[in-house]
Amino acid sequence: MPIIDTPWDSIPTPDITRNAIASGNWDNPAIWSPSGVPVAGDVVGIGLGGRWTVTFRDADSVPVQIRVLSGGTLTLGTGTTWKLNISGVLVVEIGGQMYSAMQAYPSPPADLRGTISFNDTSFGSGDDTSSWLTTNTQYGNGLIVLGYVLLNTGQSIKTPSLRLKNNITTPVTSFELTGAHVRWEVGDKLVLPDSRIIAYPEDWQGEVVTITGISINGSGNTVITLGTPTVYSHTGLNRLSGSNFRMPTVLNLTRRMVIRSAAGSTRRAHVLATTTKSLLNIRDIEFFEMGRTRWDIPLSPWQGPPDAEPIVPNQRGRYALHLHHCGTTLDTTSGPILEGTGRGTGRVRGAIRGCSFWNEAVGIFVDPHPAPQRTPTSKWPITIHDTRSMRIDRNVVYNAGGWGIGTEHRGERLEERSTDNRIEDNVICRVGCSQM
C-alpha cells in the first residue's frame, strides 16, 4: 500500500487496480488497463504513465476509490446530472487536478446537478486497530487534496441569506424577505432560525422549510411560498419603542453540486486539504452530513492504536472541511482559469466561497447547562490550521458541533505577522456542544 509522506502526515493510499492509459471519457473501456469500464471495488488511477484527462459523466457510478496522480486530471460532470460514488478515498495527489465541467455551461440547464457521495464503507481490520498505521482507516471515507481541486457550478454565487421583512407570529405559507435573491429556486431548503433571546433553550424553535414558489414583488423583495405552514414564531429584535430593528436571517442551504456522506452512513466522510502544494477553489458547493471526527467520544492518540478505554477510532482532523497546513497561489499564465481571473493575470489564491455546510441529523443530548440541547456529533465544520492565502466568504453553516468556522492557531501563522487569509460575510446558525 503506497504511503504519501508530508511534513505532517503519512497517508496510506490503496493499490491501483485499474489504470487510465489514455485521455477520454470514463465510460470508454479502451482508455483503461485492464480493458473495461471501472467496476465496483476498483481503485482507479489517473495519471500513471502519462498526462491523462478522464471525464466523468455517469448519472450514477459504481462505487470505486480514485487516485489522481501527478499529471492526471479528473473532470467531473459533462452530463446534466451526475453522481460519483466513492467507497473509501478520493485522493488528488501532488500535481494531480480535479475540475468540475459544470463551469463550461454559459447558462447551465435547470436540471444540472452533481454529487460526490461517500458510501458507508467498512475499513475491515482497521476498525479494530489491528492495521492502524497501514490501512486507510485513518483517512478513509473522504476527499484528500494534495494537488488542485477546482469545483463550482459555473454560475454566480447564490445569495447565502436574506432577512425577514416582517415578523412571523402565526403559521404561514408565504413570507417576504428584504431584497432580491440571486439563484434561489423551487426545491431549495431554507432555515428559519430560532429568534428568541433565551439561554440554552430546551426546544429548538428553528425550522427547515422547502420553497415551492418564489418571486420578486414590486418593492424588489423576495416572496417565498411554502407547501406546508411554518410551525414556530420568528420575530425580530425590538427597540425600547417597540419597533423592530434587526430581523431574523434566513439561510439557504441548497446548492446544485453536493459533497456528502451517503444516506444512513455510520462512518461519515470528510475533506482534508494538506501540504503547501494543495489549492482549493470551491464555490457554490453544498457539504451535507460531512465530518467524521466526533466531539462526544475520546479522540484517538496521535500515533498507534488507542490505549484508552473505550477503544474507538476517532481520528482528529477529519472535519467536513479541514484546511491543514495548506494554502498556496496558482500561476494563471497556464492551466485553468479560475474565478475572477483571466489568462496571464498573475496569481490567485484558494477560496471557499458561497458554500453551505449543514447537518440534518439532530444528534444527541448534551447537558452542560440546566437545559439540555440536541447537538450533532460531528465536530468543527470549517477548520483552518496553519493555513494561508485563503478566501472564506459568503458561506453558511447550520447545525454542527463545536464551532462553525475556526482557526486552530488563533491568528494562524502569527510568526509571519500576516496569513493573508480573509474570513468574511459568512453566516453561522445553531452550533455548539459541551466539549470542544
Side-chain angles (χ1 to χ4, degrees):
M1 177 173 285
I3 304 293
I4 300 175
D5 286 314
T6 78
W8 308 279
D9 295 274
S10 291
I11 303 173
T13 57
D15 293 310
I16 293 171
T17 62
R18 193 175 304 269
N19 182 51
I21 57 173
S23 296
N25 291 327
W26 180 282
D27 55 359
N28 179 0
I31 72 166
W32 301 105
S33 176
S35 180
V37 176
V39 298
D42 268 345
V43 178
V44 173
I46 301 172
L48 182 64
R51 301 184 67 85
W52 313 125
T53 297
V54 174
T55 300
F56 177 84
R57 56 184 184 178
D58 287 6
D60 194 358
S61 77
V62 297
V64 295
Q65 299 190 80
I66 301 176
R67 291 175 55 195
V68 184
L69 293 88
S70 180
T73 300
L74 174 62
T75 302
L76 298 172
T78 57
T80 55
T81 301
W82 56 269
K83 183 180 181 185
L84 178 61
N85 291 298
I86 302 295
S87 288
V89 290
L90 167 52
V91 185
V92 182
E93 301 186 15
I94 294 174
Q97 304 176 79
M98 182 170 73
Y99 306 131
S100 59
M102 286 177 162
Q103 57 199 1
Y105 288 94
S107 181
D111 60 346
L112 181 63
R113 296 289 187 273
T115 302
I116 302 175
S117 178
F118 291 89
N119 291 347
D120 190 11
T121 306
S122 171
F123 298 130
S125 60
D127 271 353
D128 59 19
T129 72
S130 60
S131 301
W132 190 259
L133 296 179
T134 58
T135 72
N136 63 358
T137 300
Q138 290 187 317
Y139 296 90
N141 277 29
L143 169 60
I144 301 171
V145 180
L146 304 116
Y148 297 156
V149 171
L150 313 173
L151 301 176
N152 66 65
T153 57
Q155 301 175 312
S156 57
I157 292 177
K158 177 176 283 192
T159 305
S161 63
L162 292 169
R163 290 190 181 273
L164 277 176
K165 175 67 174 175
N166 302 300
N167 291 330
I168 296 175
T169 57
T170 59
V172 298
T173 56
S174 181
F175 53 84
E176 184 177 351
L177 302 172
T178 301
H181 70 88
V182 174
R183 293 187 45 244
W184 288 23
E185 305 173 280
V186 170
D188 282 3
K189 292 184 180 297
L190 308 179
V191 176
L192 290 166
D194 188 340
S195 57
R196 297 173 298 166
I197 306 300
I198 181 172
Y200 312 109
E202 293 186 28
D203 56 330
W204 168 255
Q205 292 190 10
E207 51 194 310
V208 177
V209 298
T210 302
I211 298 175
T212 59
I214 187 168
S215 62
I216 305 294
N217 64 16
S219 301
N221 292 330
T222 300
V223 178
I224 300 295
T225 302
L226 309 177
T228 57
T230 56
V231 176
Y232 301 111
S233 295
H234 306 280
T235 59
L237 297 174
N238 293 330
R239 296 184 175 89
L240 291 177
S241 63
S243 61
N244 292 133
F245 75 96
R246 182 71 68 179
M247 296 300 292
T249 299
V250 177
L251 289 64
N252 191 311
L253 302 175
T254 304
R255 304 294 185 269
R256 286 192 175 190
M257 183 173 174
V258 182
I259 300 175
R260 61 166 296 165
S261 302
S265 294
T266 58
R267 299 172 182 84
R268 289 163 54 118
H270 68 101
V271 177
L272 170 66
T274 186
T275 81
T276 56
K277 299 294 185 181
S278 63
L279 184 142
L280 276 77
N281 195 286
I282 298 179
R283 188 187 75 189
D284 207 36
I285 307 298
E286 178 180 338
F287 291 73
F288 178 62
E289 299 282 13
M290 295 287 288
R292 178 179 164 197
T293 303
R294 297 172 58 172
W295 60 262
D296 62 313
I297 56 177
L299 289 169
S300 301
W302 285 109
Q303 292 184 342
D307 54 8
E309 294 294 338
I311 298 178
V312 178
N314 185 33
Q315 287 78 23
R316 68 195 73 213
R318 309 299 179 254
Y319 313 123
L321 177 62
H322 188 192
L323 304 173
H324 183 60
H325 302 283
C326 70
T328 185
T329 58
L330 178 65
D331 192 339
T332 61
T333 56
S334 61
I337 298 177
L338 305 185
E339 174 192 3
T341 72
R343 182 71 69 226
T345 57
R347 303 180 75 83
V348 294
R349 296 165 175 82
I352 311 299
R353 182 166 286 166
C355 298
S356 73
F357 296 77
W358 71 289
N359 296 286
E360 192 169 49
V362 294
I364 64 172
F365 273 116
V366 296
D367 191 11
H369 305 284
Q373 306 177 74
R374 281 192 179 274
T375 304
T377 57
S378 61
K379 180 178 180 179
W380 298 358
I382 303 177
T383 298
I384 306 155
H385 182 198
D386 195 20
T387 287
R388 54 180 153 180
S389 300
M390 292 296 297
R391 302 293 182 264
I392 300 174
D393 60 67
R394 288 172 283 177
N395 303 290
V396 299
V397 179
Y398 171 66
N399 197 27
W403 61 45
I405 303 173
T407 61
E408 292 195 50
H409 285 175
R410 300 182 302 278
E412 297 304 297
R413 300 193 72 97
L414 291 172
E415 71 278 9
E416 295 189 10
R417 297 185 181 179
S418 174
T419 64
D420 200 22
N421 291 321
R422 292 184 184 177
I423 305 171
E424 54 193 4
D425 298 328
N426 302 285
V427 184
I428 299 169
C429 177
R430 199 189 184 198
V431 299
C433 63
S434 61
Q435 304 175 39
M436 295 295 285

